Amino acid sequence: MTAEGGPMSRYIPPSPFYTFEPLRHDPLDMIPLIQASQGGDHSEIKAVEEISASILSLEEGKKPELDPAMMLFLTCVAWKKDGGIPEPLDKGVSRERLGRFPIEGGDALAYLLDNTIEKAEDGLHDLLAKLALGLDEEYLGEGGFSQGAGGLELCGWLDVKEVVILRRAIQRGKWSVDPNEPLDGGVADAFRHLTIILRGAEKRRCGLLMRKHA
């Protein structure tokens, strides 16, 4: 047995897991409708094409029990027609590899932002930051859209056009790896798997939402 507080008694929790969901609607288009709905006016949000049944069931004039982040998740993600979970953008190793990158915190996008140097104004870092942080209040300028009920955590997103721009910026190679990169080959590995996810979104002509699972 070890003394209380000794090295064998310390619990090290696993890193969060990150997923990348296909988006049907741009959050910037949905946020004003969600804000109106939070005040009891659901008419516009109910008129959105292929909207979730949970939104359609809202009663006019009554504030929803759903918080803004959950409403954003329900309205923007490309759910199946029966309301089922969308098909993953990658069914191979990329989903797992990006989901929990082998660094402290497990965030592959944060790793890329910290360990790459831009050599051209092609939007590489701006779009990585938007995907990683775009729904944070400080970045978005609106509160309540990054964290919701049941531990829901939404990081950021890219629209359909930005998916293509980021994929091209990565493949164009107008960037370099920071010489102090802590994980040998980490940047190349993260970019390779992110490109596969981006291609999956591009093929479906959808946007991309980054989500954190604690």
Side-chain angles (χ1 to χ4, degrees), residues 115-126 169-170 172-179 191:
N115 292 284
T116 55
I117 301 165
E118 286 184 295
K119 292 185 174 180
E121 295 292 328
D122 56 8
L124 179 70
H125 276 191
D126 286 345
I170 293 169
R172 197 174 290 123
K174 300 291 185 179
W175 48 268
S176 61
V177 179
D178 190 302
F191 269 149

Coordinates of all heavy atoms in Angstrom, one line a residue, residues 115-126 169-170 172-179 191:
N115 N 1.9 25.1 -32.7 CA 3.1 24.5 -33.3 C 3.3 24.7 -34.8 O 4.1 24.0 -35.4 CB 3.2 23.1 -32.9 CG 3.4 22.9 -31.4 OD1 4.5 23.1 -30.9 ND2 2.3 22.5 -30.7
T116 N 2.5 25.6 -35.4 CA 2.7 25.9 -36.8 C 3.0 27.4 -37.0 O 2.5 28.2 -36.2 CB 1.5 25.5 -37.7 OG1 0.3 26.1 -37.2 CG2 1.4 24.0 -37.7
I117 N 3.7 27.7 -38.0 CA 4.0 29.1 -38.4 C 3.4 29.4 -39.8 O 3.8 28.6 -40.7 CB 5.5 29.3 -38.4 CG1 6.1 29.0 -37.0 CG2 5.8 30.8 -38.8 CD1 7.6 28.9 -37.0
E118 N 2.6 30.4 -39.9 CA 2.0 30.7 -41.2 C 3.0 31.4 -42.1 O 3.7 32.3 -41.6 CB 0.8 31.6 -41.0 CG -0.5 30.9 -40.5 CD -1.6 31.9 -40.5 OE1 -1.6 32.8 -39.7 OE2 -2.6 31.6 -41.2
K119 N 3.0 31.0 -43.4 CA 3.9 31.7 -44.3 C 3.1 32.4 -45.4 O 3.7 33.0 -46.4 CB 4.9 30.7 -45.0 CG 5.9 30.1 -44.0 CD 6.8 29.2 -44.7 CE 7.9 28.7 -43.8 NZ 8.9 27.8 -44.5
A120 N 1.8 32.4 -45.3 CA 0.9 33.1 -46.3 C -0.4 33.5 -45.6 O -0.8 32.9 -44.6 CB 0.7 32.2 -47.5
E121 N -1.0 34.5 -46.2 CA -2.3 35.0 -45.6 C -3.4 34.2 -46.3 O -4.2 34.7 -47.1 CB -2.5 36.5 -45.9 CG -1.5 37.3 -45.2 CD -1.7 37.3 -43.7 OE1 -2.8 37.2 -43.2 OE2 -0.7 37.5 -42.9
D122 N -3.5 32.9 -46.0 CA -4.5 32.0 -46.6 C -5.6 31.6 -45.6 O -6.4 30.7 -45.9 CB -3.9 30.8 -47.3 CG -3.0 30.0 -46.4 OD1 -3.0 30.2 -45.2 OD2 -2.3 29.1 -46.9
G123 N -5.6 32.2 -44.4 CA -6.6 31.9 -43.5 C -6.4 30.6 -42.6 O -7.3 30.3 -41.8
L124 N -5.2 30.1 -42.7 CA -5.0 28.8 -41.9 C -5.3 29.0 -40.4 O -6.1 28.3 -39.9 CB -3.5 28.4 -42.2 CG -3.1 27.1 -41.4 CD1 -3.8 25.9 -42.0 CD2 -1.6 26.9 -41.4
H125 N -4.6 29.9 -39.8 CA -4.7 30.0 -38.3 C -6.1 30.6 -38.0 O -6.7 30.2 -37.0 CB -3.6 30.9 -37.8 CG -2.4 30.1 -37.5 ND1 -1.3 30.6 -36.8 CD2 -2.0 28.8 -37.8 CE1 -0.3 29.7 -36.7 NE2 -0.7 28.6 -37.3
D126 N -6.6 31.5 -38.8 CA -7.9 32.1 -38.5 C -9.0 31.0 -38.5 O -9.9 31.0 -37.6 CB -8.3 33.2 -39.5 CG -7.5 34.5 -39.3 OD1 -6.9 34.6 -38.3 OD2 -7.5 35.3 -40.3
A169 N -5.7 25.3 -47.7 CA -4.6 26.0 -47.0 C -3.7 25.0 -46.4 O -2.4 25.2 -46.4 CB -5.2 26.9 -45.9
I170 N -4.2 23.9 -45.8 CA -3.4 22.9 -45.3 C -2.6 22.2 -46.4 O -1.3 22.0 -46.3 CB -4.2 21.8 -44.6 CG1 -4.9 22.4 -43.3 CG2 -3.4 20.6 -44.2 CD1 -6.0 21.5 -42.7
R172 N -1.8 23.3 -49.4 CA -1.0 24.2 -50.1 C 0.4 24.2 -49.5 O 1.4 24.5 -50.1 CB -1.6 25.6 -50.2 CG -1.0 26.5 -51.2 CD -1.7 27.8 -51.3 NE -3.1 27.6 -51.9 CZ -4.2 27.9 -51.3 NH1 -4.2 28.4 -50.1 NH2 -5.4 27.7 -51.9
G173 N 0.5 24.0 -48.2 CA 1.7 23.9 -47.5 C 2.5 25.2 -47.2 O 3.7 25.1 -47.0
K174 N 1.7 26.3 -47.2 CA 2.4 27.6 -46.9 C 2.5 27.8 -45.4 O 2.0 28.8 -44.9 CB 1.6 28.7 -47.6 CG 1.5 28.6 -49.1 CD 2.8 28.8 -49.8 CE 2.7 28.8 -51.3 NZ 4.0 29.1 -52.0
W175 N 3.0 26.8 -44.7 CA 3.2 26.9 -43.3 C 4.4 26.0 -42.9 O 4.9 25.2 -43.8 CB 2.0 26.3 -42.6 CG 1.4 25.0 -43.1 CD1 0.5 24.8 -44.1 CD2 1.9 23.7 -42.7 NE1 0.3 23.5 -44.3 CE2 1.1 22.8 -43.5 CE3 2.8 23.2 -41.8 CZ2 1.3 21.4 -43.4 CZ3 3.0 21.8 -41.7 CH2 2.2 21.0 -42.5
S176 N 4.9 26.2 -41.8 CA 6.1 25.4 -41.3 C 5.8 25.0 -39.9 O 5.0 25.5 -39.2 CB 7.4 26.2 -41.4 OG 7.3 27.3 -40.6
V177 N 6.5 24.0 -39.5 CA 6.4 23.4 -38.1 C 7.4 24.2 -37.2 O 8.5 24.4 -37.6 CB 6.8 21.9 -38.1 CG1 6.6 21.4 -36.7 CG2 5.8 21.2 -39.1
D178 N 6.9 24.6 -36.1 CA 7.7 25.2 -35.1 C 8.9 24.3 -34.7 O 8.6 23.1 -34.4 CB 6.9 25.5 -33.8 CG 7.6 26.4 -32.8 OD1 8.7 26.0 -32.4 OD2 7.1 27.5 -32.5
P179 N 10.1 24.8 -34.7 CA 11.2 23.9 -34.4 C 11.2 23.3 -33.0 O 11.9 22.4 -32.7 CB 12.5 24.8 -34.6 CG 11.9 26.2 -34.6 CD 10.5 26.2 -35.1
F191 N -2.6 17.3 -39.1 CA -3.1 17.9 -40.4 C -3.6 16.8 -41.3 O -4.6 16.9 -42.0 CB -1.9 18.7 -41.1 CG -1.9 20.1 -40.7 CD1 -0.7 20.8 -40.7 CD2 -3.1 20.8 -40.4 CE1 -0.7 22.2 -40.4 CE2 -3.1 22.2 -40.1 CZ -1.9 22.8 -40.1

